[in-house]
Amino acid sequence: MILTSASAAALDAADPVAAAREHFILPPGVIYLDGNSLGALPRATPARLADVAVQEWGEGLIGSWNAADWIGAPARIGAKIAPLIGANPREVIAADSTSVNLFKLIAGALAMRPDRRVVLSEPGNFPTDLYMIEGLARMGLAELRLAPEEIAASIDEQVAVVVLSHVHYKTGAVHDMAAITAAAQAKGAMVLWDLSHSAGAIPVMLNVCNADLAVGCGYKYLCGGPGAPAFAYVAERHIAAFANPLSGWMGHAAPFAFADGYAPAPGIERLLCGTPAILGLAALEVGVETIAAIGITALDAKRAALTEAFAQSVLVLGAGHGLERVGPRDPAQRGSQIAFRHSEAWAINRALIARGVIGDFRAPDILRFGFAPAYVGYGNALIAAQTLAEILATKAWDCVEFRERLPVT
Ligand SMILES: *Cc1c(COP(=O)(O)O)cnc(C)c1O
């Protein structure tokens, strides 16, 4: 289906999620297709942050750890993330960054498989996932193996834990969580799913898939703000045996007993390390509530239709200029993004941004467009496709200004 002004307007008018756009603040004239990198600002967040700073911190001072339940924030917010990822509320905690949570969970999994050392991942996985495994290998705790092609076929009795992104950050391809989890468990291995590009974008069913471990990002589709705390999931059946290698006092069974010896909290709180970042958690809580209130089923249905409409429109409107579609054609097989390859992807993306269409560039040659369905509509998708087509047809990207490289892409 190719979008036209008429069909885009009709689709927006019939869109059950369209009203959710009002729950976000976006600058006028901007079409924001980077919610998979930094989610938009929920309208309720600035006032909530001001309240936490001025009232809870400024007035309540240290008493707010109890009075405002700051101390309960990581588990409380984890419980709110849980339904979005098919977990039970006792299995998820908001804490640290995704990278740090990867360290904790991979090291914890290795300790649960003491006769195995291999951590299996795939080439082209998100860099931090691979780098964290490399770090564990340098500490002598792990051996990194990259699956040559088929993941399930590469799992053998040496593998302690399989670490995969559920949705691939560049191509948007989705791994079959149930099948890979079952294949790993059949060989006695655990699986750690990185849900950074899944949580808040597509339904995830950790419990149904019998998943062992998961981590994910708070600042992408969950709209928690730049550098928001991430989350970690440990299946309830593993929690009692799970040892957090970063055994900080906040993960202790009784932090305020100030005992010399470490004893882990009985529940998911054992995943904590140090004092939680309350301001960041406050923003994350608003983001999670905002997305959860819209409903992941409705968001997923719109995601599938919207990404498909955009991809088809680009392929027709922008035909003949060297764009190559990347990633799964079947909406059920991908996340909430569309990617194209082009040798001039960097400059094209700069030209798009200059025209108010904010997608991103992923090295070496990928144009990536995230469609956060909570605040992107069909009219936006049409303008983005038309703008891209215009830039390609006129070669507007071909100038010094747009070729200049910037540090953050
Ligand atoms: C965004 C992302 C991360 C981010 O990790 P941080 O520690 O928050 O910087 C990790 N893994 C994947 C797959 C991601 O997409």
Side-chain angles (χ1 to χ4, degrees):
M1 178 201 51
I2 311 303
L3 290 170
T4 62
S5 317
S7 71
L11 286 162
D12 277 331
D15 172 13
V17 172
R21 169 71 183 77
E22 285 314 304
H23 299 309
F24 296 87
I25 299 175
L26 282 161
V30 163
I31 295 176
Y32 192 57
L33 305 182
D34 222 350
N36 52 333
S37 220
L38 175 64
L41 172 67
R43 193 170 293 279
T45 301
R48 177 74 189 126
L49 281 174
D51 188 52
V52 175
V54 176
Q55 299 302 321
E56 296 185 6
W57 178 12
E59 298 288 326
L61 291 166
I62 200 162
S64 287
W65 283 105
N66 291 311
D69 193 28
W70 285 354
I71 197 70
R76 181 178 74 240
I77 299 166
K80 291 179 183 177
I81 295 171
L84 293 169
I85 56 175
N88 87 44
R90 294 174 303 283
E91 295 174 316
V92 186
I93 192 133
D96 302 314
S97 64
T98 306
S99 302
V100 171
N101 287 333
L102 282 164
F103 180 89
K104 293 187 292 189
L105 265 52
I106 298 168
L110 284 159
M112 291 173 82
R113 295 288 181 275
D115 52 337
R116 303 178 178 207
R117 283 168 49 87
V118 173
V119 180
L120 181 75
S121 191
E122 63 178 339
N125 195 358
F126 191 82
T128 210
D129 298 58
L130 301 180
Y131 301 165
M132 296 310 291
I133 303 169
E134 280 184 42
L136 284 156
R138 279 192 298 275
M139 293 170 73
L141 296 172
E143 187 185 311
L144 171 60
R145 186 193 293 173
L146 296 178
E149 39 203 61
E150 230 260 292
I151 306 281
S154 308
I155 306 171
D156 60 26
E157 271 81 11
Q158 296 176 321
V159 177
V161 55
V162 181
V163 178
L164 293 171
S165 296
H166 182 223
V167 173
H168 194 273
Y169 77 103
K170 254 193 228 179
T171 65
V174 181
H175 274 305
D176 186 336
M177 181 180 282
I180 293 175
T181 300
Q185 290 170 350
K187 302 281 182 179
M190 299 176 85
V191 185
L192 193 174
W193 291 102
D194 187 331
L195 305 177
S196 291
H197 284 273
S198 316
I202 61 172
V204 179
M205 291 183 285
L206 289 174
N207 286 168
V208 169
C209 296
N210 199 37
D212 299 296
L213 306 166
V215 296
C217 200
Y219 52 78
K220 291 172 179 164
Y221 294 102
L222 294 180
C223 299
F231 63 86
Y233 155 95
V234 176
E236 199 157 34
R237 64 184 180 280
H238 293 315
I239 291 178
F242 188 89
N244 181 354
L246 300 181
S247 47
W249 73 307
M250 281 292 152
H252 194 280
F256 294 93
F258 294 101
D260 280 351
Y262 181 77
I268 193 71
E269 287 87 350
R270 69 176 54 196
L271 262 291
L272 294 175
C273 179
T275 306
I278 295 302
L279 290 164
L281 284 167
L284 174 63
E285 188 162 23
V286 177
V288 170
E289 285 173 352
T290 305
I291 294 299
I294 303 167
I296 196 68
T297 309
L299 288 168
D300 182 50
K302 180 172 173 188
R303 164 204 69 80
L306 184 61
T307 51
E308 198 53 28
F310 174 74
Q312 298 298 338
S313 302
V314 168
L315 288 173
V316 172
L317 298 175
H321 299 291
L323 271 189
E324 180 197 333
R325 186 156 175 203
V326 176
R329 304 298 186 266
D330 175 3
Q333 300 293 319
R334 65 170 183 256
S336 206
Q337 67 194 63
I338 292 292
F340 298 96
R341 184 170 286 125
H342 193 287
S343 55
E344 298 294 342
W346 169 263
I348 293 168
N349 185 53
R350 297 297 307 161
L352 279 166
I353 292 171
R355 286 161 173 73
V357 177
I358 304 181
D360 65 21
F361 163 83
R362 282 294 170 262
D365 56 2
I366 299 279
L367 283 164
R368 188 178 69 157
F369 301 98
F371 285 83
Y375 46 83
V376 179
Y378 294 89
N380 301 143
L382 173 60
I383 294 173
Q386 287 170 332
T387 307
L388 176 54
E390 176 258 323
I391 288 168
L392 290 168
T394 59
K395 286 199 160 41
W397 51 266
D398 195 4
C399 64
V400 180
E401 181 194 350
F402 296 143
R403 286 181 183 282
E404 183 206 353
R405 296 279 173 150
L406 302 173
V408 175
T409 63

